[in-house]
Amino acid sequence: MTSGHVFVAHGRIESVVHDAAVVPLGADRAFTDHWRPLLGHDEPAPGAGWDERGWAASDREGLWLIRVGPGEDVAVDELAGRVGEVLTEIAGAGLAPAAGRVKPLVALPFVGLEGGGLGSRRGDVVRSQLQAVARVAVGHDLDVVVVTPEAAVYAAAQHVRRQLVGDGRTGDGDRLDAAARRLADRARAGELALFLGAGVSVPAGLPSWSELLGHLAAELDPEELAQLSPLDQAELLQVLDPGFQQRVAEAVEQRRTPSLSHVLLAGLGCGEVVTTNYDALYETAVAAPGGHEPSVLPWQSAVGARPWLLKLHGDLARPTSIVLTRGDFVRYDAFRRPSGSLLQALLLTRHVLFVGASLRDDNVIRLLREVQEYRREHDLGNGPFGTVLDIDHDVVRARLWTGQLDWLHLDGDGVEDRARQLEIFLDRVSMYACRDSGWLLDPRFSGLLSREDADLAEEVRRVAGRIRDTGSLLGPLLGPLVEP
């Protein structure tokens, strides 16, 4: 069994599927309003050991509490030690992972930054807690995702992780690490677009296509239904039930918390995303840190909006738009040609990362094949137009797209293990892709800088302050760089 992994995500804990969570509680046993979306109004209480250790399991299943607050005058390393102790207890608690995962996933914030008394030492807190979390994850069978809505804290954490990882990769790690760096370079340059298939949403608890049809066809003879292809099964269900599309939307809408993959992909900041999924999980993940949901095409305008999300097969908020039956696919080109053309434009102008997509959808294959022929006709053979992250080990299909798509096989014992390797790969891409430098001149992060860099940062802050105070034209440019 491999050791656990530490993920870092830009978002909120309640906006990522997890098996357990760690939440800070003030020395006065009061929660800040920040945690209301996760905890609700029925506040949990700490259990045994709280007074002695400063942390404890709560009276709510899957929730641990850790004490913070300026009244405690707790040191950075002491608080990091508490984080490690909490995770160690969770690792030994026998948590069962959610369906689709091979390891339990624990979500927690960087503790002590907001109201915890250590906000002025953010750099030290980030470094010490990441190291404490990594020690537990490596030594125990536990995955941990550290979640923060603050862009500067997220960027600083990714900086620390890049320093810790280094370049000492060997074997298969070299292959995956090199691929992650290439995709990250494209993301930073604005050259990366995403194509999301159903596999991204399955870890969030949504059914696969076959599971969805099986659920909706529960009253039919399964042996008779199996004689039909999935498209014809859906066609039959629609013939028997005019409200079929509404039932599909209701089944999908039951899951509203994004998967870890959704959150990691949202953190890449890609401006153009295409999906065959009906759910709103990616939109939720994008908005979780406090931003705006992307414009959803074709129902909302993309003019002046960035990012945008194109839903090729409909949206659960608009049940009549859902594409699922044989008839829907036959009529697709006649009624939705501009949507297909937009995907093709991305394939010609961006590098498209396919995640959770098997590339067996006839409509999508046709669009890709037309781009392939267009490239061949115009001698545009300047490398693959996309990368496929494959957890099915579809070797034959990979050979079919040789020269057109980089087909990256993710190894593991079974599909669930390979799905976890996909999450780890996306985490590595997001780590390399993040280059937000907003924390560099913030004195609260000075603990992450060398003495020389810290002195330079202080000098830049002084110069920028003088420029701002004198009313110089450079003030609006430099002022925001030095304001926490």
Side-chain angles (χ1 to χ4, degrees), residues 267-354:
L268 293 177
C270 295
E272 302 102 356
V273 182
V274 180
T275 184
T276 52
N277 300 338
Y278 321 128
D279 61 70
L281 298 180
Y282 180 77
E283 299 98 288
T284 300
V286 171
H292 298 288
E293 292 187 359
S295 294
V296 179
L297 278 62
W299 302 279
Q300 298 173 336
S301 174
V303 177
R306 187 173 177 88
W308 54 256
L309 170 67
L310 170 64
K311 292 196 170 182
L312 287 176
H313 286 176
D315 183 20
L316 64 84
R318 306 164 179 85
T320 57
S321 69
I322 290 176
V323 174
L324 187 60
T325 70
R326 174 73 67 184
D328 293 332
F329 275 78
V330 169
R331 295 187 295 270
Y332 188 91
D333 195 49
F335 294 99
R336 308 193 186 203
R337 184 185 295 270
S339 292
S341 298
L342 187 50
L343 171 59
Q344 291 180 319
L346 288 180
L347 292 167
L348 289 168
T349 60
R350 298 286 187 270
H351 187 88
V352 180
L353 177 62
F354 293 83

Side-chain angles (χ1 to χ4, degrees), residues 161-450:
R161 297 175 77 211
R162 288 192 297 270
Q163 287 185 321
L164 294 175
V165 168
D167 296 317
R169 313 296 300 172
T170 57
D172 190 57
D174 284 334
R175 174 181 68 96
L176 296 179
D177 194 68
R181 289 174 185 269
R182 288 195 300 270
L183 291 169
D185 288 343
R186 291 186 180 278
R188 288 199 308 276
E191 299 173 357
L192 188 70
L194 304 177
F195 185 103
L196 310 183
V200 176
S201 295
V202 169
L206 268 68
S208 64
W209 185 330
S210 60
E211 290 170 339
L212 177 62
L213 291 176
H215 168 72
L216 297 174
E219 299 179 0
L220 301 179
D221 185 331
E223 293 186 1
E224 292 182 356
L225 197 65
Q227 299 177 33
L228 302 176
S229 70
L231 289 177
D232 289 328
Q233 291 179 27
E235 186 76 27
L236 175 60
L237 290 172
Q238 189 170 56
V239 169
L240 297 175
D241 179 10
F244 172 68
Q245 288 173 308
Q246 181 62 43
R247 291 177 61 202
V248 171
E250 291 171 354
V252 173
E253 193 177 19
Q254 293 177 8
R255 302 291 182 173
R256 300 187 178 185
T257 305
S259 68
L260 180 57
S261 290
H262 281 119
V263 178
L264 295 172
L265 288 164
L268 293 177
C270 295
E272 302 102 356
V273 182
V274 180
T275 184
T276 52
N277 300 338
Y278 321 128
D279 61 70
L281 298 180
Y282 180 77
E283 299 98 288
T284 300
V286 171
H292 298 288
E293 292 187 359
S295 294
V296 179
L297 278 62
W299 302 279
Q300 298 173 336
S301 174
V303 177
R306 187 173 177 88
W308 54 256
L309 170 67
L310 170 64
K311 292 196 170 182
L312 287 176
H313 286 176
D315 183 20
L316 64 84
R318 306 164 179 85
T320 57
S321 69
I322 290 176
V323 174
L324 187 60
T325 70
R326 174 73 67 184
D328 293 332
F329 275 78
V330 169
R331 295 187 295 270
Y332 188 91
D333 195 49
F335 294 99
R336 308 193 186 203
R337 184 185 295 270
S339 292
S341 298
L342 187 50
L343 171 59
Q344 291 180 319
L346 288 180
L347 292 167
L348 289 168
T349 60
R350 298 286 187 270
H351 187 88
V352 180
L353 177 62
F354 293 83
V355 187
S358 62
L359 294 192
R360 298 179 184 181
D361 182 308
D362 286 345
N363 279 329
V364 173
I365 291 174
R366 176 182 60 80
L367 294 170
L368 267 64
R369 286 298 181 194
E370 288 179 359
V371 169
Q372 181 182 24
E373 292 303 317
Y374 183 91
R375 283 160 50 94
R376 181 178 294 128
E377 176 69 21
H378 295 85
D379 195 24
L380 298 177
N382 54 347
F385 52 73
T387 297
V388 177
L389 303 184
D390 174 28
I391 65 171
D392 296 320
H393 274 211
D394 197 341
V395 177
V396 174
R397 202 170 302 275
R399 292 175 61 187
L400 186 65
W401 290 97
T402 299
Q404 303 299 314
L405 293 169
D406 279 332
W407 207 278
L408 191 62
H409 299 287
L410 296 163
D411 296 329
D413 298 327
V415 174
E416 289 184 350
D417 191 26
R418 293 195 290 270
R420 177 174 175 269
Q421 296 305 315
L422 169 64
E423 294 172 341
I424 293 174
F425 179 80
L426 293 176
D427 180 57
R428 186 165 293 274
V429 176
S430 66
M431 178 185 71
Y432 289 134
C434 182
R435 286 294 189 271
D436 186 348
S437 58
W439 61 273
L440 281 171
L441 296 181
D442 187 334
R444 297 174 298 179
F445 292 94
S446 60
L448 299 182
L449 301 177
S450 66

